Amino acid sequence: MKRPGVWKMLMAAMCVALLSGLQAQDLPRQVSIILLGATGDLARKYLWQGLFHLYLEEVGKGHHFRFHGTALTSTEQGQEVIAKVLESLSCPGDMASGHCAELKAQFQQLSEYRRLKTPEDYLALSKDIEAQVEHEGLRETGRIFYLSVPPFAYVDIARNINSSCRPGPGAWLRVVLEKPFGHDLHSAQQLATELGSFFQEEEMYRVDHYLGKQVVAQILPFRDQNRAALDGLWNRHHVERVEIVMKETLDAEGRTSFYEEYGVIRDVLQNHLTEVLTLVAMELPVNVSSPESVLQHKLQAFQALRSLQRHSAVLGQYQAYSGQVRRELQKPDSFHSLTPTFAGILVHIDNLRWEGVPFILMSGKALDERVSYVRILFKNQAFCVQSEKHWVAAQSRCLPRQIIFYIGHGELGSPAVLVSRNLFQPALPSASWKEVEGRPGLHLFGLPLSDYYAYSPVREQDAYSLLISHIFHCRKDSFVTTENLLASWVFWTPLLDSLAHEVPRFYPGGAENGQLLDFEFSGGHLSFSQPLPEQLVPGPDSAPLPSDFQVLRAKYRESPLISAWPEELIARLAGDIEAAAVRAVRRFGKFHLALSGGSSPVALFQQLATGHYSFPWAHTHLWLVDERCVPLWDPESNFQGLQTHLLQHVRVPHYNVHPMPVHRRQRLCAEEDQGAQAYAEEISALVTNGSFDLVLLGMGTDGHTASLFPQSPAGLDGEQLVVLTTSPSSPHRRMSLSLPLINRARKVAVLVMGRMKREIAMLVSRVGRDPKKWPISGVLPDSGQLVWYMDYDAFLG
């Protein structure tokens, strides 16, 4: 049964609610911006100016603003600092001074300082915002919290914002975070998890200020607007290399506390230069205006990056840096820092577009100039028959062809986009970009400025002003998402770990550096072009440096010893193996090389694969010294390591590659399958007298070699050439060449690397021949040569 009275009351209530909602929609909108750390250096230099620019952009567009500067300092002291900052704000050059003064006064009226420290302070701030919004008849649209504070404070601040200072229903929250975002993958994951417990992903904006630089922000639009010209050029067939560079003339003075923790790779390369790398390398979305598409394509670019190795980097340190650290951090006179202030990194991208194209990332302090740029150098596939004097100026196909995103500073002095005139005339938005005026005599990257189509911004804008505007307008593609952040740390952390104890090359700074930091690459390897000059070697009271040692030749267990720093040692061993191969092929027509597995030879395999193009691979037989009893495709397999780091990069005939038969009849190392006997028969059939030309061995911390262990005496003597053994570590079952077979070799090389090997190296140097206790002590070729290759960490500790 219907009740007309109740029905009318419900309808009236709904109409009132709807009317109230419509009235609320019509209310002027209020955005509150809370700047934490408002009295700090970054805020004073950039952030208040950026907030003022946002106000100038948005005033009169329907938004009301309130700016709350907060810090831990007292109210009186904070107000004094903020008043001076607000007084120093500037307007764009084309704004009338009277109008500027009026808007500046308005901004000052809308800005306040308050102390923000305790949970009660956050609650009070929230209540004051709500009261002010209600009093002025406004509707709160959202709140922006800009955290210009050290990362260790993020979690406590996040907790307080989440519990006491979120806006009400219908209003959005945006929390802005400054780098560093962690120190490595683990710390970045931990910080991301903690922040994720308080905020949604769409509420967080991680700032990398390089993404706000006008030229960097133009990379994707440039690629999009010039698709027709670039589609056929932006790939491995036409690009010779890409350089992404940030050079500084300042050193780390005053920042050594930060620098000691982070160094140049974490400070610049892991974030700024990597972000730029993804913008250059990523596949171009159909719609570059879609933040979701851009971020997804950036993530795909991260996932295609090839893992970095120790030889992917060269490191340097400003010569006065350790002294600065000692002074600023009260370190003893004997302290020597290993923190790099210069780094060059070689990056490769494993996809069809960029396969084989080197991307060079470089940054350093105390260099000869301040400049930042991205340079895409194209291959010169033209040949000009007439001599250079007849070439058409600026347009000859034989001139260098390049695109430069000139981020700032340097000889040009301003941001610019440069395209060689012999490539194409680019399209840029005419409202915001203009042609650069001629500068006779100015040369950039080997060409006069007149050889480029050159464009610069109509109005230069600082990075933070652009980013603050993008935060307000919810442009997420200008910021670092959690997923992309962790992908970057996945890429960089292994390299950082491998470089943790690396001694950097010392350089004097500025123009005096000369060619000292020049580096070159071959395959996947970077190395400095010049040896260190003597004047950079410290005095006798300083800690030993790589330059204090050359290759050390001595005796170890009555056999020749070669000792050097790892990179030089590997280069020497690779050269010796190639020389042995050339001699064997010249004398016998073939070269039989037996290789150990594990981690130690990986750098050797990579050196052989990328730096020895005269190696007679076509006449080389590759054998394994030992193998784990796992399928050959298993990551634990020694053969899989050999395949990954060597075989896929060189042309060895497949019938010359001899993996150990550990997987027969779908079983692993079953005695009755006679895999060891089968390998021994193969050796006897192909290797004359069973004498390998060269056997490469390692030495374990317990004195084992190959898979001959103290706890498993199999293979130490007797007639068997190949044996099954038992390892104390998993996987336990192994197959190995026997000691008698190893000792038939014409040459045995033992590679020993790393500080962990120091103790066993000292012990083995003193013991006699006792293979049951230390199998390595039984290695002594019957009629061949034994040579020890030991790095300084293993030899000197």
Side-chain angles (χ1 to χ4, degrees):
M1 174 178 161
K2 293 184 178 179
R3 302 172 69 177
V6 175
W7 181 251
K8 286 180 181 178
M9 289 172 63
L10 285 171
M11 288 296 293
M14 289 172 64
C15 288
V16 169
L18 181 60
L19 183 59
S20 298
L22 290 171
Q23 289 173 339
Q25 292 294 324
D26 292 336
L27 292 175
R29 294 166 292 172
Q30 161 91 1
V31 174
S32 300
I33 300 180
I34 302 95
L35 175 56
L36 293 91
T39 59
D41 191 55
L42 179 64
R44 286 185 282 114
K45 284 183 177 177
Y46 300 109
L47 300 183
W48 279 110
Q49 185 66 52
L51 293 174
F52 182 46
H53 276 176
L54 176 67
Y55 180 70
L56 297 179
E57 277 184 4
E58 299 300 325
V59 66
K61 295 183 180 178
H63 278 101
H64 288 245
F65 289 93
R66 281 282 177 174
F67 301 93
H68 304 270
T70 75
L72 302 179
T73 54
S74 67
T75 302
E76 183 179 348
Q77 186 180 356
Q79 286 174 338
E80 186 179 333
V81 173
I82 298 304
K84 289 181 181 177
V85 175
L86 296 181
E87 191 55 44
S88 68
L89 298 175
S90 61
C91 297
D94 56 358
M95 181 179 285
S97 58
H99 188 43
C100 174
E102 180 186 348
L103 292 173
K104 188 171 168 180
Q106 290 175 12
F107 183 78
Q108 290 170 331
Q109 286 292 318
L110 296 171
S111 302
E112 64 159 20
Y113 174 82
R114 67 194 297 152
R115 186 174 184 177
L116 196 61
K117 187 175 183 180
T118 66
E120 292 75 22
D121 293 337
Y122 285 84
L123 186 59
L125 170 62
S126 187
K127 289 186 179 299
D128 287 352
I129 292 173
E130 292 166 3
Q132 178 258 327
V133 167
E134 185 176 352
H135 175 72
E136 297 185 13
L138 304 172
R139 174 174 62 88
E140 186 173 17
T141 303
R143 297 178 190 177
I144 296 173
F145 286 84
Y146 199 120
L147 277 58
S148 179
V149 298
F152 66 75
Y154 285 172
V155 174
D156 283 341
I157 292 171
R159 184 180 293 107
N160 285 325
I161 292 172
N162 185 58
S163 63
S164 308
C165 216
R166 275 186 172 273
W172 46 254
L173 171 69
R174 291 173 195 156
V175 179
V176 187
L177 307 161
E178 279 282 346
K179 79 174 185 76
F181 312 121
H183 184 266
D184 54 17
L185 177 60
H186 175 71
S187 58
Q189 286 173 324
Q190 188 174 18
L191 182 59
T193 300
E194 290 172 326
L195 291 173
S197 66
F198 301 116
F199 305 129
Q200 299 296 317
E201 178 65 28
E202 60 268 18
E203 294 176 328
M204 289 186 283
Y205 289 71
R206 291 183 183 84
V207 169
D208 185 321
H209 80 270
Y210 247 59
L211 292 175
K213 290 187 176 288
Q214 285 174 286
V215 168
V216 175
Q218 187 61 29
I219 292 175
L220 286 186
F222 176 89
R223 292 180 58 191
D224 183 47
Q225 290 156 10
N226 295 279
R227 280 182 193 255
L230 289 175
D231 272 352
L233 292 173
W234 210 257
N235 56 58
R236 61 192 168 98
H237 300 296
H238 295 279
V239 175
E240 180 180 311
R241 68 186 190 198
V242 178
E243 301 168 3
I244 304 174
V245 170
M246 177 182 169
K247 296 170 68 176
E248 298 182 86
T249 53
L250 293 176
D251 57 30
E253 190 167 10
R255 295 187 68 218
T256 56
S257 177
F258 170 85
Y259 232 72
E260 273 301 276
E261 186 173 358
Y262 289 94
V264 68
I265 296 179
R266 291 180 174 91
D267 183 37
V268 175
L269 284 88
Q270 179 272 328
N271 37 72
H272 303 329
L273 302 195
T274 304
E275 287 295 323
V276 174
L277 166 67
T278 61
L279 295 175
V280 173
M282 64 186 271
E283 294 300 311
L284 202 57
V286 174
N287 180 10
V288 296
S289 299
S290 165
E292 295 79 13
S293 295
V294 170
L295 291 169
Q296 188 58 39
H297 283 71
K298 282 179 72 174
L299 183 61
Q300 290 169 3
F302 272 119
Q303 292 166 343
L305 295 175
R306 184 187 302 172
S307 298
L308 295 172
Q309 306 292 333
R310 164 62 194 90
H311 55 248
S312 305
V314 289
L315 302 180
Q317 186 190 94
Y318 175 49
Q319 201 172 4
Y321 176 77
S322 283
Q324 293 173 341
V325 175
R326 288 193 290 269
R327 287 194 303 274
E328 293 181 16
L329 303 183
Q330 286 79 53
K331 297 286 186 180
D333 291 343
S334 60
F335 174 81
H336 290 272
S337 173
L338 294 180
T339 301
T341 60
F342 167 89
I345 308 291
L346 179 62
V347 176
H348 282 94
I349 300 173
D350 288 329
N351 60 25
L352 285 175
R353 181 180 294 278
W354 296 115
E355 182 184 6
V357 176
F359 284 71
I360 300 164
L361 278 58
M362 187 274 278
S363 184
K365 290 188 168 293
L367 300 181
D368 62 317
E369 63 175 335
R370 183 186 184 193
V371 67
S372 301
Y373 61 84
V374 182
R375 180 187 183 214
I376 297 96
L377 181 65
F378 292 88
K379 296 175 182 177
N380 197 333
Q381 296 165 321
F383 181 85
C384 297
V385 175
Q386 286 190 296
S387 63
E388 187 176 345
K389 63 184 178 183
H390 297 297
W391 293 356
V392 179
Q395 294 182 353
S396 170
R397 297 286 292 173
C398 288
L399 287 169
R401 304 190 301 158
Q402 47 200 336
I403 295 174
I404 296 105
F405 296 101
Y406 202 89
I407 299 169
H409 306 293
E411 289 191 70
L412 194 55
S414 61
V417 176
L418 310 169
V419 178
S420 294
R421 288 182 180 270
N422 58 359
L423 269 174
F424 62 90
Q425 183 169 2
L428 281 97
S430 58
S432 52
W433 290 80
K434 63 181 180 181
E435 286 198 53
V436 176
E437 295 178 5
R439 301 263 295 275
L442 176 61
H443 280 66
L444 294 170
F445 305 99
L447 295 173
L449 185 60
S450 58
D451 279 13
Y452 296 99
Y453 295 107
Y455 300 85
S456 63
V458 171
R459 177 191 293 174
E460 287 192 38
Q461 187 177 15
D462 74 275
Y464 281 98
S465 293
L466 185 68
L467 290 174
I468 287 171
S469 175
H470 285 187
I471 294 163
F472 179 76
H473 290 289
C474 198
R475 284 278 308 275
K476 287 284 286 184
D477 52 321
S478 297
F479 301 89
V480 181
T481 65
T482 300
E483 202 169 16
N484 280 338
L485 171 69
L486 297 181
S488 178
W489 278 120
V490 165
F491 176 64
W492 283 104
T493 297
L495 177 69
L496 288 163
D497 289 344
S498 73
L499 298 175
H501 302 293
E502 201 70 27
V503 179
R505 168 172 287 200
F506 293 85
Y507 59 95
E512 293 180 35
N513 293 338
Q515 285 75 53
L516 188 63
L517 295 177
D518 291 354
F519 55 86
E520 53 196 48
F521 53 90
S522 174
H525 292 242
L526 275 191
S527 59
F528 284 115
S529 303
Q530 295 189 356
L532 276 170
E534 289 183 9
Q535 62 265 30
L536 285 183
V537 178
D541 296 330
S542 301
L545 305 173
S547 52
D548 295 333
F549 302 95
Q550 298 302 318
V551 174
L552 176 65
R553 295 174 180 83
K555 290 282 186 179
Y556 181 84
R557 291 183 57 81
E558 303 304 317
S559 294
L561 166 71
I562 296 172
S563 191
W565 294 102
E567 191 171 311
E568 193 172 3
L569 184 71
I570 290 296
R572 172 61 188 270
L573 175 55
D576 289 351
I577 293 175
E578 181 174 3
V582 170
R583 284 195 302 271
V585 171
R586 190 180 296 130
R587 291 183 63 192
F588 308 113
K590 53 193 172 184
F591 175 58
H592 288 280
L593 173 63
L595 295 169
S596 286
S599 58
S600 292
V602 168
L604 172 67
F605 296 163
Q606 293 167 338
Q607 174 75 20
L608 288 170
T610 58
H612 291 263
Y613 298 107
S614 299
F615 200 104
W617 293 115
H619 305 283
T620 296
H621 285 258
L622 290 176
W623 304 83
L624 283 178
V625 167
D626 64 331
E627 181 59 281
R628 297 173 170 92
C629 292
V630 295
L632 294 183
W633 58 84
D634 192 291
E636 293 269 8
S637 164
N638 288 342
F639 179 76
Q640 185 59 234
L642 183 65
Q643 169 71 22
T644 300
H645 299 293
L646 180 63
L647 292 180
Q648 68 174 344
H649 305 291
V650 298
R651 294 185 176 180
V652 180
H654 72 274
Y655 45 81
N656 283 8
V657 179
H658 308 280
M660 281 188 159
V662 293
H663 197 192
R664 304 186 91 197
R665 302 185 177 91
Q666 304 302 311
R667 295 184 297 185
L668 292 168
C669 293
E671 293 271 4
E672 56 272 26
D673 289 343
Q674 298 188 327
Q677 291 92 321
Y679 205 55
E681 290 168 6
E682 191 176 2
I683 292 169
S684 298
L686 296 174
V687 182
T688 306
N689 300 322
S691 299
F692 292 106
D693 296 298
L694 194 148
V695 174
L696 176 70
L697 298 176
M699 179 169 69
T701 54
D702 59 354
H704 82 263
T705 192
S707 280
L708 305 173
F709 299 94
Q711 302 89 337
S712 176
L716 298 180
D717 50 30
E719 298 298 320
Q720 281 188 280
L721 302 182
V722 184
V723 295
L724 293 176
T725 68
T726 303
S727 166
S729 60
S730 179
H732 299 291
R733 293 287 283 162
R734 307 288 177 96
M735 185 178 290
S736 177
L737 303 187
S738 69
L739 193 56
L741 179 58
I742 290 170
N743 284 333
R744 289 188 195 177
R746 293 186 172 88
K747 179 175 180 178
V748 177
V750 183
L751 177 61
V752 186
M753 298 180 69
R755 197 161 294 174
M756 290 178 59
K757 302 292 178 69
R758 173 62 183 140
E759 189 173 333
I760 188 64
M762 287 183 64
L763 176 65
V764 169
S765 71
R766 299 192 295 262
V767 302
R769 192 175 190 278
D770 192 350
K772 290 186 177 179
K773 283 188 178 180
W774 302 284
I776 189 67
S777 70
V779 176
L780 190 61
D782 302 328
S783 57
Q785 183 188 31
L786 170 63
V787 181
W788 297 81
Y789 294 81
M790 201 173 297
D791 73 355
Y792 288 136
D793 278 339
F795 184 57
L796 301 173

